[in-house]
Amino acid sequence: MTTSIEQLNIPNLLLTDTPSPTITFEPFTLPPTNQRILGPPHPSNTVIPLALRPTEDSKQSLTLDAIISTIETLQSRDQAFTKYLARHGTLLFRDLPIHNADDFSRFAHAFGYKPHEIIGIVVDRPVLAPNVAPANEAPKEVQIYNHNESPQVPHAPEYIFFYNQHAPAKGGETPISSSLELFRRAQAEIPEFVDELAEKGVLSRVVYNFDKQYEGGSTLRQAFGKEIQDGDDEETRRRKIEAQIARYGRGGHTTWEWTETGIVLTHRLPVIRTQPGTNLPTLFTGLAAYYKRLQANDQRKNVTHQLYGDGTPIPEKYLAHLAKITDEIRVLHRWQEGDVLVFDNIIAQHGREPWEGEQTDRVVLASLFDGPSVPGAYGFGDWAQVVQALDG
């Protein structure tokens, strides 16, 4: 038996003291394959995703300007949507008049977050509108398993917006799961692994080549070469790339080595971080996705290598167990055109399922933002605390 939103008694989001046209958002129930009640440590009766849409009365004045005004006001008053994200991990907005990349950009910016600059991007994301790019251009047959965004590098966004411009007839769902729940389950079922992660963290080795390594991947210049000019000699190019790497602000916890084909970066990173405001531990990771790539012999497996922070291998049985837990706690969001999913990247994971038909049958755009603070440390070494990237 499924639990409806009405039974959970989630209130509408509305403004009652403004004369301008405003929108009231109401929660609604999704099919059980698309929405579930989260387990501990989430508060009881917390669903993921929390689905919101304009009420019937609001549709009389349903314009993008009215939606943006409502969101800006609710956010400026008490960060209403940010609080919902911190509780539910993911929000779904449906039935909004968002029709293109520019509309999506305006909607995402209305939440008031700071646009995220990706340093060391590993996928090709051409800019389509302010702070908007394709979510992932990997071939449609490729499964991208659940992960937090940018777990392989020190500088990760806090908020991720996805907009569906075109939905395939079959497949192409976006998986959704809780990193807080993943940690709690892992701590109960494989506590020795959690202890190792807390003590050691991980070494994330990321390979960047002068040429892209796979379809949909980035080049070294796309990753770190924003200051490079076409006339720069090799020494100047290297210096500019290394200056971008230094912006991670990790000191000796980020090192690099030049190779004949590009550069290899090694980061010592915390997998366990804590949620701002609650200090709850969250498993901020792509280890299950890394395991899935190894199992599938995916060509992307050569881009990132994951080890314990002391350089020793992570036993495959633990990676497999993380994937097992993830399979049990995730839902698959079936897209409708115009849907927008918003993730709190610290506590929620996403991915991408394969789809049938043409590559162009699924078009999802992404917009990434930073939060006011970074996740807290769970371990005791200085490597365990992530920092905001330096300006540059």
Side-chain angles (χ1 to χ4, degrees), residues 106-185:
R106 291 184 61 205
F107 173 81
H109 281 83
F111 288 73
Y113 306 133
K114 178 184 176 182
H116 174 78
E117 180 187 356
I118 304 176
I119 304 172
I121 191 169
V122 294
V123 295
D124 184 12
R125 282 179 172 163
V127 176
L128 304 176
N131 201 38
V132 171
N136 195 298
E137 297 290 79
K140 62 184 178 66
E141 298 83 8
V142 174
Q143 181 194 46
I144 301 173
Y145 196 68
N146 290 52
H147 63 283
N148 302 91
E149 183 65 27
S150 302
Q152 78 283 358
V153 295
H155 181 49
E158 181 165 352
Y159 300 108
I160 309 170
F161 292 69
F162 291 118
Y163 160 62
N164 183 268
Q165 202 166 25
H166 192 52
K170 186 173 183 180
E173 299 91 350
T174 288
I176 304 171
S177 57
S178 164
S179 300
L180 296 173
E181 190 175 7
L182 179 62
F183 174 86
R184 182 64 67 90
R185 286 280 303 272

Side-chain angles (χ1 to χ4, degrees), residues 17 24 35 52 218 242 349:
D17 58 351
T24 299
Q35 187 181 54
L52 300 169
S218 67
E242 290 176 356
Q349 296 189 335

Side-chain angles (χ1 to χ4, degrees), residues 167-309:
K170 186 173 183 180
E173 299 91 350
T174 288
I176 304 171
S177 57
S178 164
S179 300
L180 296 173
E181 190 175 7
L182 179 62
F183 174 86
R184 182 64 67 90
R185 286 280 303 272
Q187 188 179 46
E189 298 173 24
I190 41 176
E192 69 280 9
F193 179 48
V194 172
D195 289 344
E196 292 272 47
L197 291 176
E199 178 184 347
K200 301 175 181 178
V202 295
L203 284 185
S204 176
R205 290 178 177 160
V206 188
V207 177
Y208 298 93
N209 285 350
F210 298 117
D211 299 318
K212 67 180 182 179
Q213 302 176 68
Y214 59 90
E215 188 63 34
S218 67
T219 65
L220 175 56
R221 183 167 180 175
Q222 288 173 310
F224 297 109
K226 74 171 190 174
E227 300 295 338
I228 290 177
Q229 303 296 319
D230 288 340
D232 288 344
D233 58 26
E234 182 178 352
E235 181 181 352
T236 301
R237 287 171 178 254
R238 287 195 175 196
R239 176 172 49 79
K240 289 182 175 180
I241 287 171
E242 290 176 356
Q244 290 300 309
I245 295 171
R247 292 180 58 205
Y248 282 135
R250 296 281 291 171
H253 300 308
T254 290
T255 60
W256 60 89
E257 178 184 0
W258 287 96
T259 68
E260 291 184 358
T261 57
I263 195 171
V264 179
L265 269 67
T266 301
H267 308 282
R268 189 177 184 187
L269 298 171
V271 172
I272 306 171
R273 308 177 187 187
T274 59
Q275 181 187 24
T278 68
N279 289 324
L280 288 170
T282 176
L283 215 51
F284 189 95
T285 183
L287 285 174
Y290 174 68
Y291 168 74
K292 290 285 189 177
R293 288 198 298 272
L294 294 177
Q295 293 297 300
N297 199 27
D298 188 331
Q299 58 184 336
R300 295 172 300 149
K301 71 179 183 179
N302 298 319
V303 176
T304 303
H305 303 270
Q306 303 279 299
L307 303 166
Y308 279 133

Side-chain angles (χ1 to χ4, degrees), residues 23 28 45-46 73 95 99 101 110 124 224 253 283 311 328 388:
I23 305 300
F28 66 99
N45 293 331
T46 300
T73 303
D95 297 338
H99 304 294
D124 184 12
F224 297 109
H253 300 308
L283 215 51
E328 294 171 359
Q388 293 281 19

Side-chain angles (χ1 to χ4, degrees), residues 22-92:
T22 60
I23 305 300
T24 299
F25 291 99
E26 64 176 2
F28 66 99
T29 303
L30 296 169
T33 54
N34 224 97
Q35 187 181 54
R36 63 180 287 266
I37 295 178
L38 290 161
H42 291 273
S44 60
N45 293 331
T46 300
V47 294
I48 191 170
L50 174 62
L52 300 169
R53 64 188 176 193
T55 61
E56 284 298 321
D57 290 343
S58 294
K59 291 181 180 179
Q60 304 298 321
S61 56
L62 189 61
T63 66
L64 185 58
D65 285 342
I67 290 167
I68 289 172
S69 176
T70 300
I71 290 173
E72 288 177 340
T73 303
L74 287 168
Q75 283 288 85
S76 65
R77 287 184 178 180
D78 67 351
Q79 294 291 303
F81 293 105
T82 301
K83 290 177 180 177
Y84 274 119
L85 280 166
R87 178 184 175 111
H88 296 269
T90 309
L91 306 180
L92 166 67

